[in-house]
Amino acid sequence: MTASRAQHLPEAVLRPVRGHHAFEACVEQLGTAIRLGVYPLGSTLPPERELALRLHVSRATLREAMAALREAGLVQTRRGRGGGTVVTLKPRTPSGRAAARVPQAKRADWLDALEYRRVVEPGAAALAAQLELTAVRRERLEQAHAEVAGADKAASHRQADSRFHLTIAALSESPRLIEAVTSVQGTLHEMLLAIPVLEPNIAHSDRQHATVVRAILAGSPDRARRAMEHHCDDTAALLRGLLG
Amino acid sequence: MTASRAQHLPEAVLRPVRGHHAFEACVEQLGTAIRLGVYPLGSTLPPERELALRLHVSRATLREAMAALREAGLVQTRRGRGGGTVVTLKPRTPSGRAAARVPQAKRADWLDALEYRRVVEPGAAALAAQLELTAVRRERLEQAHAEVAGADKAASHRQADSRFHLTIAALSESPRLIEAVTSVQGTLHEMLLAIPVLEPNIAHSDRQHATVVRAILAGSPDRARRAMEHHCDDTAALLRGLLG
DNA sequence: AGCCTAAGGTCTGAGTTCATACCAATTTAA
DNA sequence: TTAAATTGGTATGAACTCAGACCTTAGGCT
């Protein structure tokens, strides 16, 4: 039995060990956090030493990443006590840029992200609904939802939407699920910047958000999961359509 | 609005940029693949150059990892044409070692893995059921299932079980899901080595496997997902109980 | 036998990353 | 006004990682 084993598993299981260059990974992660609105325009990033600690990276490397972000115009830095690094990136409006021009590999990755999302985000919603939420956490959820519904411009709506989904993931209290949702939202954000989104879809999306929030607050994991599945399905169908 | 944002998201979202050095990651990944039975006893690993390419690591680094695995007795290496690195690790039998002595942080991580598993494995099963499987793939699934049911010793049963779950993930064809299941199976394997499993549970588990396989082959995503959820729930309940 | 080939084994110089100091600027508070 | 505290800026040497070239071993073929 041992030697006759089929060879399909190793191929599927082994994956690149990491994105090389710690500094690129920092740029990626901080840049995504900023673009998603985890750190909104005008907010201050944690001090370098703290960030370096959090990211398990030396301060030297973190500073290189910061320099790159500064170079790219995402942040500005002031020295001295009370100084720090503040976000200067204004949320980008999804441009009508053609969805063509996307390399095949990236397109495949995007489609995979949509499949993955349909698994992890409903899972996070169900888990959140299953927990007994404190008043503070219920408040956070409602606040995040209100910000999505209340956003006037397309750009700030996009960030509020990301924050909404990340907030639900955070409510699940599962580090693995939070990471999964964060990464998938990063990819989603990238897709949405390349694809114009129409107004009616936003309204539709907001109604679905409301359903998810109700289910979570009511403590109904199944309803929360199904509602989030519908939401992911609809978004995915739209994006898949526009991608060809 | 911008400055008044709650501070809970950054804390949840930012994660270590990478676990460790490249060489440790290689040891970790190859070691897990071997322990899970992706490379069973007696099988030959791919040539170093190929592995290095696959893991996105220089051959020098990969070789350091190989040396560590050799040192640890997991593999043996022979030079020359027809040589290579073969697995020498005999599947370990879950020992009755006390489940105490597990540090708090690890215990929390284990519990998180169980939550995560309940999301990703049923998701993978549903996705697999939803695809039109080729004859080869249906065969792989049945083969993997037969090996679990047919395993005589506890140790080889454990590896066959891992391969069964990884096979389903591979059928889903989603790189992200495959990675998720691989990592969660690695953690699960670690848990099971520290916790004795009783015979009746294995029989119960095999019946659930059969249900999952039927649902996937029948092309019923919902049934597949639910069946896998039950399976995960039962395993999780057992482990949580034994963990205290 | 003698060559070819597919593997592992070795070496080297350049580029990254790290940990740990120490310096400089600026705000806050005594 | 002065001292302390907080924050970014700089420097250095060690360790890790990389890519690529080259050497050694051992099977298979002519």
Side-chain angles (χ1 to χ4, degrees):
Chain A
M1 133 181 163
T2 54
S4 70
R5 164 108 21 260
Q7 287 304 308
H8 67 103
L9 270 188
E11 189 177 344
V13 161
L14 293 186
R15 42 168 168 139
V17 92
R18 67 175 189 185
H20 298 130
H21 294 167
F23 128 83
E24 284 180 31
C26 291
V27 172
E28 163 81 18
Q29 195 168 147
L30 290 172
T32 298
I34 291 170
R35 280 186 289 267
L36 291 186
V38 170
Y39 292 106
L41 177 62
S43 63
T44 301
L45 266 50
E48 290 179 350
R49 293 165 227 263
E50 193 183 320
L51 263 185
L53 219 66
R54 174 104 45 107
L55 298 185
H56 282 44
V57 150
S58 78
R59 208 180 136 218
T61 303
L62 178 78
R63 279 182 53 71
E64 280 191 58
M66 291 296 227
L69 294 176
R70 217 175 298 129
E71 193 79 13
L74 299 201
V75 298
Q76 275 180 2
T77 299
R78 280 195 350 258
R79 319 191 357 171
R81 176 166 180 168
T85 302
V86 299
V87 175
T88 56
L89 176 77
K90 276 187 276 198
R92 278 186 59 191
T93 297
S95 76
R97 245 183 9 210
R101 308 272 43 195
V102 178
Q104 179 56 35
K106 171 151 290 187
R107 179 168 305 212
D109 183 62
W110 283 1
L111 292 177
D112 181 48
L114 293 178
E115 302 280 15
Y116 191 54
R117 184 186 187 212
R118 217 210 90 126
V119 172
V120 295
E121 295 221 22
L127 209 49
Q130 175 187 324
L131 298 176
E132 295 216 0
L133 300 178
T134 63
V136 174
R137 290 168 167 259
R138 300 171 75 88
E139 175 56 37
R140 272 186 205 155
L141 178 57
E142 284 172 335
Q143 165 86 16
H145 178 225
E147 283 179 19
V148 187
D152 45 352
K153 296 191 197 314
S156 54
H157 181 277
R158 179 81 279 284
Q159 284 199 342
D161 183 80
S162 291
R163 280 196 300 264
F164 174 71
H165 287 276
L166 288 174
T167 298
I168 291 177
L171 289 183
S172 81
E173 292 185 82
S174 161
R176 283 174 172 81
L177 273 177
I178 293 172
E179 174 182 332
V181 172
T182 301
S183 116
V184 95
Q185 281 287 324
T187 305
L188 195 64
H189 188 262
E190 194 185 350
M191 297 176 67
L192 287 169
L193 279 186
I195 297 175
V197 179
L198 305 98
E199 285 306 324
N201 298 315
I202 291 185
H204 180 54
S205 178
D206 283 348
R207 278 194 300 278
Q208 293 184 322
H209 286 174
T211 308
V212 172
V213 169
R214 273 197 303 274
I216 292 179
L217 292 180
S220 310
D222 262 37
R223 268 175 50 212
R225 187 171 56 67
R226 261 195 294 274
M228 184 62 93
E229 271 177 3
H230 283 146
H231 182 47
C232 291
D233 281 342
D234 290 355
T235 310
L238 178 68
L239 289 175
R240 273 192 273 254
L242 292 173
L243 266 178
Chain B
M1 132 179 165
T2 55
S4 69
R5 165 111 17 262
Q7 287 304 307
H8 66 104
L9 271 188
E11 190 176 346
V13 161
L14 291 187
R15 46 176 163 133
V17 92
R18 64 179 192 189
H20 18 252
H21 301 246
F23 127 85
E24 287 179 44
C26 291
V27 172
E28 162 83 18
Q29 196 168 143
L30 290 172
T32 298
I34 290 170
R35 281 186 289 267
L36 291 187
V38 170
Y39 293 107
L41 176 62
S43 63
T44 302
L45 267 49
E48 292 179 349
R49 293 163 228 264
E50 192 184 320
L51 263 187
L53 220 65
R54 174 106 42 109
L55 298 185
H56 282 41
V57 149
S58 79
R59 207 179 137 219
T61 303
L62 178 79
R63 278 180 55 71
E64 279 191 59
M66 291 297 227
L69 294 175
R70 218 175 297 129
E71 194 78 15
L74 283 117
V75 298
Q76 273 180 3
T77 299
R78 281 194 350 259
R79 329 206 328 185
R81 174 162 184 170
T85 303
V86 299
V87 176
T88 56
L89 175 78
K90 276 187 276 198
R92 279 185 57 191
T93 297
S95 76
R97 243 179 15 206
R101 308 272 42 194
V102 178
Q104 179 57 35
K106 171 151 291 189
R107 180 169 303 214
D109 183 62
W110 283 0
L111 293 176
D112 182 47
L114 293 178
E115 302 279 13
Y116 190 55
R117 184 187 188 211
R118 217 209 92 123
V119 172
V120 295
E121 294 220 23
L127 210 48
Q130 175 188 324
L131 297 176
E132 295 217 0
L133 299 178
T134 63
V136 174
R137 291 168 167 258
R138 300 170 75 89
E139 177 54 37
R140 274 186 203 154
L141 178 57
E142 284 172 336
Q143 165 86 13
H145 177 225
E147 283 180 17
V148 187
D152 45 351
K153 296 192 196 319
S156 55
H157 182 277
R158 178 80 282 284
Q159 284 199 342
D161 183 81
S162 292
R163 279 196 300 263
F164 174 71
H165 286 278
L166 288 174
T167 298
I168 291 177
L171 290 183
S172 81
E173 291 184 84
S174 160
R176 283 174 172 82
L177 273 177
I178 293 172
E179 174 182 334
V181 172
T182 300
S183 116
V184 95
Q185 281 288 324
T187 305
L188 195 63
H189 188 261
E190 194 186 351
M191 296 176 68
L192 287 170
L193 278 187
I195 297 175
V197 178
L198 305 96
E199 285 304 325
N201 298 313
I202 290 186
H204 180 53
S205 178
D206 282 347
R207 280 195 298 278
Q208 293 184 322
H209 285 174
T211 309
V212 172
V213 170
R214 274 197 302 273
I216 291 179
L217 291 181
S220 309
D222 262 37
R223 269 174 50 211
R225 187 170 56 67
R226 262 194 293 273
M228 184 63 92
E229 271 176 3
H230 283 145
H231 182 47
C232 292
D233 280 342
D234 289 356
T235 310
L238 178 69
L239 289 175
R240 272 191 273 254
L242 293 174
L243 266 178

